[in-house]
């Protein structure tokens, strides 16, 4: 930062447009990119169940499977029937082999809180059959009130 | 008041000079502000519960160690109420906190002895199954298995 002598007149006053344009462009690019990611991976119609012991997202790559309130399965905005999902997970698992011979594929199930469990169970069965061991469920962080969410260990 | 540059005061100096912030500095501050605001929001909005499935994939010889199973049955009290019912053996509760306390008690008595299996009723809302999983996590039980859905012919998968 520099110290400049304060000017006395208003002749040299000018509005600097360059940084403003710069920031506006950055904002536009940012919101375009994040909107695309949200549209592809996360189904906004899914209301996640609350969990007190959920851990923050670490950003590692996972196959995200959305299960809607009506049981509809969506991956990257595309609807899948249970049989198609089974094939997709098997293919992805084969594409990511682990050193021990299994699969390194990790799956995250974002199931609606009110979705019937049978639909979530189908997705889990598909993961199990494909040899997927790293599974996570999307959850909303719970607010700890008196007596709830305490660690009981 | 402190004096600078001879006998002039700080007030006089500030009046005489003005700060000019470089545009790049403003850019960086805005970007940092955006970054931290947005990442903080993402962390708060969505988290995850880990579960590790036993490896029963095709071609796998690995089997989980044989342990006595402790099954948590999860169901709904009725279609009208929608309240959960958690059952461990003959013990029943509708309170996830009571379930967590029960699981913690079992874990303290016999650490790592049981293989906990969650058996959710096929029609019950997923949030009740998540409540059971959360109760296990609060009790320090992280390796939880899930009962597979019954096959189409009615037999267990």
């Amino acid at each position: 930062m520099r110290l400049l002598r304060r000017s006395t007149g208003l002749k040299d006053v000018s509005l600097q447009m360059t940084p403003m344009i710069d920031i506006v462009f950055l904002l536009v690019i940012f919101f375009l990119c994040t909107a695309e990611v949200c549209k592809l991976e996360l189904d906004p119609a899914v209301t996640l169940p609350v969990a007190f012991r959920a851990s923050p997202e670490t950003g590692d790559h996972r196959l995200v499977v959305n299960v809607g309130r009506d049981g509809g399965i969506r991956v990257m905005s595309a609807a899948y029937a249970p049989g198609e999902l089974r094939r997709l997970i098997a293919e992805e698992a084969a594409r990511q082999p682990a050193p021990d011979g299994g699969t390194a594929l990790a799956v995250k199930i974002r199931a609606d809180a009110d979705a019937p469990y049978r639909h979530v169970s189908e997705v889990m069965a598909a993961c199990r059959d494909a040899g997927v061991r790293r599974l996570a469920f999307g959850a909303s962080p719970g607010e700890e009130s008196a007596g709830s969410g305490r660690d009981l260990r | 008041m402190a004096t600078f540059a001879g006998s002039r005061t700080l007030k006089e100096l500030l009046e005489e000079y003005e700060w000019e912030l470089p545009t790049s500095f403003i850019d960086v501050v805005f970007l940092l502000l955006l970054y931290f605001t947005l990442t903080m929001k993402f962390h708060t909005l969505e988290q995850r519960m880990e579960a590790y499935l036993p490896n029963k994939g095709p071609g796998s010889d690995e089997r989980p160690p044989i342990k006595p199973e402790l099954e948590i049955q999860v169901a709904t009290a009725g279609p009208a109420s929608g309240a959960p019912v958690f059952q461990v053996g003959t013990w029943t509760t509708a309170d996830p906190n009571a379930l967590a306390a029960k699981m913690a008690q079992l874990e303290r008595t016999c650490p790592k002895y049981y293989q906990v299996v969650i058996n959710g009723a096929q029609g019950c809302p997923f949030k009740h199954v998540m409540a059971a999983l959360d109760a296990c996590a609060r009790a320090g039980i992280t390796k939880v298995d899930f009962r597979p859905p019954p096959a189409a012919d009615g037999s267990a998968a």
Side-chain angles (χ1 to χ4, degrees):
Chain A
M1 285 180 280
R2 288 179 294 144
L3 279 174
L4 296 178
R5 190 169 286 276
R6 191 186 294 274
S7 59
T8 50
L10 293 172
K11 280 183 248 175
D12 56 346
V13 172
S14 64
L15 188 64
Q16 290 189 359
M17 292 298 288
T18 319
M20 201 174 81
I21 295 167
D22 195 11
I23 288 169
V24 168
F25 268 103
L26 279 172
L27 281 172
V28 168
I29 291 166
F30 177 81
F31 284 114
L32 278 175
C33 294
T34 50
E36 191 64 22
V37 170
C38 291
K39 196 176 78 180
L40 287 173
E41 278 208 329
L42 310 180
D43 186 350
V46 169
T47 308
L48 297 174
V50 173
F52 295 102
R53 282 292 162 271
S55 49
E57 284 290 348
T58 51
D60 54 342
H61 179 71
R62 285 174 183 264
L63 178 69
V64 180
V65 180
N66 296 281
V67 181
R69 192 189 176 107
D70 59 349
I73 297 167
R74 300 186 85 82
V75 180
M76 299 292 276
S77 301
Y80 281 80
E84 291 170 336
L85 180 77
R86 202 169 271 274
R87 273 196 297 278
L88 175 77
I89 292 176
E91 284 168 13
E92 287 291 326
R95 206 172 290 154
Q96 298 179 37
D100 64 353
T103 177
L105 178 69
V107 175
K108 180 179 176 184
I109 302 175
R110 292 184 77 253
D112 193 284
D114 291 317
Y117 178 59
R118 79 173 71 88
H119 301 295
V120 184
S121 187
E122 280 168 2
V123 180
M124 284 160 60
C127 292
R128 185 192 298 261
D129 291 348
V132 175
R133 300 180 75 178
R134 290 170 59 211
L135 189 70
F137 298 101
S140 296
E143 287 180 17
E144 298 198 9
S145 56
S148 69
R150 272 185 303 123
D151 201 333
L152 299 165
R153 277 175 280 183
Chain B
M1 186 176 277
T3 56
F4 297 90
S7 61
R8 281 184 298 169
T9 61
L10 177 62
K11 192 180 172 189
E12 285 168 349
L13 269 175
L14 288 174
E15 279 172 359
E16 189 174 346
Y17 292 94
E18 63 179 348
W19 294 95
E20 191 199 44
L21 295 173
T23 50
S24 55
F25 180 76
I26 298 169
D27 274 3
V28 170
V29 168
F30 266 103
L31 278 172
L32 282 173
L33 191 69
L34 264 176
Y35 174 79
F36 285 113
T37 311
L38 291 164
T39 49
M40 195 170 65
K41 218 171 190 178
F42 282 135
H43 278 277
T44 315
L45 282 175
E46 185 163 339
Q47 297 190 339
R48 68 183 189 207
M49 283 288 290
E50 296 284 352
Y52 295 92
L53 296 178
N55 194 351
K56 293 174 183 174
S60 169
D61 291 331
E62 191 184 339
R63 290 287 180 271
I66 297 167
K67 282 180 165 184
E69 280 189 356
L70 182 71
E71 189 176 88
I72 305 173
Q73 289 185 30
V74 186
T76 314
S81 73
V85 176
F86 305 105
Q87 191 176 345
V88 181
T90 53
W91 182 85
T92 305
T93 184
D95 182 13
N97 294 321
L99 176 67
K102 176 79 174 171
M103 297 309 293
Q105 184 199 351
L106 286 168
E107 185 64 11
R108 273 196 301 272
T109 314
C110 314
K112 313 271 182 217
Y113 180 70
Y114 293 109
Q115 172 61 54
V116 176
V117 182
I118 295 178
N119 186 6
Q122 295 297 294
C124 90
F126 175 64
K127 62 186 170 192
H128 297 337
V129 177
M130 179 62 94
L133 183 63
D134 193 33
C136 292
R138 284 160 58 194
I141 302 164
T142 50
K143 302 244 169 168
V144 178
D145 198 4
F146 295 87
R147 186 75 69 212
D153 60 357
S155 62

